[in-house]
Amino acid sequence: MNGADWAGVAGASGVFLFLIVVVWQIAATWRARMLASREQQYKELAAKYAQLLEDNVELHRRTLDELTQARTSIASMEKMMREIE
């Protein structure tokens, strides 16, 4: 092999190496974008979960209030029925 052949081999190797680096960087950028998108989805899911939990707590509080009112009403009815007898 003479000097021109080695220059051709070196040039082809350089082009292939450059293409490998470009593809690698494109893949790394794509992966970073996917991870950022997934992170945003997790944040939205966490916010939705927090809202649902808050709604659930409010429903639980209302149920307890209604149960307390029902117990009070039943107790007064029992007291009234005992007084009648």
Side-chain angles (χ1 to χ4, degrees):
M1 290 189 148
N2 60 15
D5 290 338
W6 283 110
V9 169
S13 298
V15 168
F16 284 125
L17 182 63
F18 176 74
L19 290 175
I20 289 171
V21 169
V22 168
V23 169
W24 188 277
Q25 288 302 315
I26 289 172
T29 302
W30 177 77
R31 183 171 183 253
R33 285 183 183 167
M34 291 297 113
L35 290 175
S37 174
R38 185 178 297 160
E39 181 69 25
Q40 182 62 31
Q41 289 174 345
Y42 284 144
K43 286 180 182 179
E44 291 171 2
L45 186 62
K48 185 177 180 181
Y49 175 75
Q51 182 61 42
L52 289 173
L53 184 62
E54 188 177 311
D55 293 345
N56 191 21
V57 168
E58 178 61 25
L59 287 173
H60 183 67
R61 186 194 59 77
R62 283 190 213 162
T63 303
L64 286 176
D65 289 345
E66 291 175 4
L67 182 60
T68 302
Q69 290 175 357
R71 284 182 179 169
T72 303
S73 177
I74 290 171
S76 69
M77 287 175 59
E78 286 177 350
K79 182 179 178 183
M80 183 178 69
M81 295 293 278
R82 286 188 188 132
E83 289 175 356
I84 293 174
E85 291 179 351

